Amino acid sequence: MLGVNKRIIWVASCALGVVLAGCSWAPKHYSPDTAELDIPEYWQSSQRGEPQSLDTLLSKQAGQLDLLSLLPSLNLESKLDPLFSANPSFQRRLYQLLEQRALQGQSEAALLPSLNITADRDRTASAGQKASSQHSLRLSSSWELDVWGRLSDQLQAAEFDSQALALEIEYAKRSLLSDVIQQALFLSNGRLALELEERRLASALKNEQLIHRRYRAGLGSLRDLNVAQTESYQRRAATEVLRESQLNYQRDLQRLFADFEMPTFAENTWQDVKFPEISMPATVLAQRPDLQAAFKKIKAADLRSEYSYKQLLPSFTINANLFNSQLKTADLLSSDPSWNLLGQLSQSLFQGGRIKSEIKAAEARAAQAYWSYKEALLGAFFEVDSALSKEASLAKQEQALKASLRYAQQSHIDVEQRYQRGLSSIFDVLSAQRTSFDLQAQLLQLQLDRASNRLNLALVMGLPIKATTI
């Protein structure tokens, strides 16, 4: 008896030693106190002191509060349900969320007792005796007491995972809507570019006919005719390129809606994207769902690191059994069953360093989640800052291009008049036409770049799909 007590004391001492040793292995936590970390108070683009500063530019803008208000002529609100319900990529993410919530349910179930029922029939026979049957019915229950909060950590980590995935899906919704607006912009701008190229082709064909008549009348050279023909064939090729681009934009839009029919919009004419509302960096970054999701992932990783550490601690389990064994099945429910109740303490003593390795791995995963969040935070800040700076630059470029186009169009008129009086060559006319058309094409592209930049700015600023009114 004394030897048994000594062995019990020795086992308990070992268990206590492992627990105390485990306490020194408490993992490092990486969750910051605030989601913004150390970010500047103002955008860098507004502090450069340029002649046309960003602050001056933004003061003239009426900021929009949501994505739908950036281009209201598209009437996109009525297309949101068909878009989200049919887009395969978005639907796949929704089922990922359902899977994650089901896994969260498993973590919730671990906190509750388990209950099992077992029915058995055993038939035995020995030499010289008649075979007999034994019927048994057992009801067993097991419940692990969450003394250290280990199971609660696992459940809370799963909850953070679900929240992070839901936030990522919200950002995916905004990105999907942004892609639709972008494709609509491509279509509208491409239509104008195609019309411009068709006018350019018509002008080239007109020049070719004029030079051909002059050549046949002996007033022009073969070189002039070759130049005009070269220009007209170049314009034919460029027109076909733009037509195919339009078809590609339509296909991309159909793909987003997962519809073989081309979606129709209320307005097909070009309109500039309105400027989004600008807030301070801390406010902007706090309302970005993807950054909030990355922050949740740090918390989930920290809790899993804590869970791994608590694997070193002893577990407490209560087991209850209710059982009955009779010769006849009918007697199982009519007779009084036997029962036992057992409290169990288990402690892992040696697993070859597996648990400590898992603690280190979980801590490393938490560190990765932190630095991924830090990377996303820096990327978001500079995305906004770059888009703000680009808005100011594109505004200046557009102003300069419009002035240049006015002078080019006037020069084109002057050169044609000089050519009709025999004071300029056909090369001067073609050069003036080419310059005028090139500047118009550049201006169209610049307007598209500016609209796309504003759309991207609204997305990286964290604007919702539709602003909520209080």
Side-chain angles (χ1 to χ4, degrees), residues 125-170:
S126 57
Q129 294 183 359
K130 186 179 180 180
S132 62
S133 298
Q134 187 79 9
H135 302 270
S136 61
L137 185 66
R138 177 183 296 272
L139 185 66
S140 60
S141 179
S142 179
W143 184 25
E144 180 180 347
L145 302 179
D146 193 22
V147 177
W148 313 109
R150 180 172 59 88
L151 300 178
S152 298
D153 289 341
Q154 189 178 36
L155 173 59
Q156 195 173 0
E159 290 174 349
F160 278 126
D161 284 340
S162 297
Q163 293 172 12
L165 190 52
L167 288 166
E168 288 177 342
I169 288 175
E170 173 59 29

Side-chain angles (χ1 to χ4, degrees), residues 3 6 19 34 64 71 75-76 96 123 211 241 248 278 325 348 358 384 440 445-446:
K6 286 183 177 180
V19 172
T34 60
Q64 304 303 308
L71 206 59
N75 192 26
L76 281 172
Q96 288 177 347
R123 186 172 179 82
I211 294 173
V241 169
N248 286 332
I278 303 299
S325 180
S348 175
E358 176 55 31
V384 175
Q440 292 179 66
Q445 182 61 47
L446 185 62

Side-chain angles (χ1 to χ4, degrees), residues 118-121 134-138 322-338:
T118 305
D120 193 16
R121 178 177 180 266
Q134 187 79 9
H135 302 270
S136 61
L137 185 66
R138 177 183 296 272
L322 189 68
F323 58 92
N324 198 352
S325 180
Q326 300 293 334
L327 295 176
K328 296 181 179 180
T329 306
D331 296 334
L332 288 175
L333 299 178
S334 61
S335 59
D336 293 333
S338 302

Side-chain angles (χ1 to χ4, degrees), residues 59-336:
S59 65
K60 301 177 181 179
Q61 307 291 346
Q64 304 303 308
L65 299 176
D66 54 43
L67 295 176
L68 290 175
S69 62
L70 297 178
L71 206 59
S73 61
L74 292 180
N75 192 26
L76 281 172
E77 188 170 359
S78 62
K79 297 178 175 61
L80 292 182
D81 288 341
L83 173 64
F84 297 140
S85 62
N87 184 268
S89 177
F90 182 74
Q91 284 296 313
R92 177 175 52 81
R93 296 185 72 97
L94 288 180
Y95 279 102
Q96 288 177 347
L97 180 58
L98 289 177
E99 178 189 9
Q100 177 56 43
R101 286 176 175 167
L103 295 175
Q104 181 181 331
Q106 293 180 355
S107 300
E108 292 175 353
L111 288 168
L112 302 175
S114 63
L115 186 65
N116 299 287
I117 186 169
T118 305
D120 193 16
R121 178 177 180 266
D122 185 20
R123 186 172 179 82
T124 59
S126 57
Q129 294 183 359
K130 186 179 180 180
S132 62
S133 298
Q134 187 79 9
H135 302 270
S136 61
L137 185 66
R138 177 183 296 272
L139 185 66
S140 60
S141 179
S142 179
W143 184 25
E144 180 180 347
L145 302 179
D146 193 22
V147 177
W148 313 109
R150 180 172 59 88
L151 300 178
S152 298
D153 289 341
Q154 189 178 36
L155 173 59
Q156 195 173 0
E159 290 174 349
F160 278 126
D161 284 340
S162 297
Q163 293 172 12
L165 190 52
L167 288 166
E168 288 177 342
I169 288 175
E170 173 59 29
Y171 193 70
K173 288 178 67 175
R174 300 180 188 184
S175 298
L176 181 56
L177 177 59
S178 176
D179 289 342
V180 170
I181 299 175
Q182 182 69 73
Q183 291 303 321
L185 289 174
F186 284 156
L187 269 174
S188 180
N189 185 270
R191 189 179 299 108
L192 294 178
L194 179 58
E195 291 173 358
L196 174 64
E197 194 59 46
E198 288 174 343
R199 292 200 304 271
R200 194 169 182 173
L201 173 60
S203 178
L205 292 174
K206 181 180 178 181
N207 291 335
E208 181 184 351
Q209 293 172 359
L210 174 63
I211 294 173
H212 188 265
R213 287 196 299 268
R214 289 174 58 85
Y215 173 73
R216 295 187 65 178
L219 300 177
S221 66
L222 181 62
R223 180 170 176 267
D224 292 347
L225 181 59
N226 289 337
V227 169
Q229 290 174 333
T230 299
E231 178 71 14
S232 64
Y233 279 109
Q234 285 180 336
R235 301 281 60 87
R236 285 189 178 97
T239 302
E240 287 304 316
V241 169
L242 291 178
R243 284 174 181 161
E244 181 60 27
S245 296
Q246 283 296 94
L247 293 176
N248 286 332
Y249 296 148
Q250 292 177 9
R251 295 186 191 103
D252 290 339
L253 199 54
Q254 289 174 264
R255 188 180 293 111
L256 290 174
F257 279 91
D259 193 344
F260 293 103
E261 297 294 331
M262 180 62 191
T264 57
F265 296 99
E267 184 66 56
N268 288 324
T269 58
W270 174 262
Q271 290 189 4
D272 286 332
V273 171
K274 296 182 179 180
F275 202 80
E277 184 184 50
I278 303 299
S279 304
M280 291 297 99
T283 303
V284 168
L285 301 181
Q287 66 188 12
R288 284 268 300 256
D290 56 329
L291 294 181
Q292 296 175 31
F295 186 70
K296 299 283 186 182
K297 289 179 179 179
I298 306 175
K299 292 185 174 295
D302 271 347
L303 285 167
R304 289 196 169 89
S305 180
E306 191 72 23
Y307 171 84
S308 298
Y309 153 69
K310 290 177 181 178
Q311 292 284 79
L312 288 171
L313 306 177
S315 61
F316 299 89
T317 307
I318 296 177
N319 295 300
N321 291 282
L322 189 68
F323 58 92
N324 198 352
S325 180
Q326 300 293 334
L327 295 176
K328 296 181 179 180
T329 306
D331 296 334
L332 288 175
L333 299 178
S334 61
S335 59
D336 293 333

Side-chain angles (χ1 to χ4, degrees), residues 344-376:
Q344 179 180 332
L345 167 66
S346 62
Q347 169 65 53
S348 175
L349 296 179
F350 178 74
Q351 294 192 21
R354 182 185 64 82
I355 296 179
K356 289 185 178 180
S357 296
E358 176 55 31
I359 293 174
K360 292 180 180 178
E363 188 176 332
R365 286 191 289 269
Q368 292 175 48
Y370 170 79
W371 287 108
S372 294
Y373 172 71
K374 181 75 172 178
E375 182 180 27

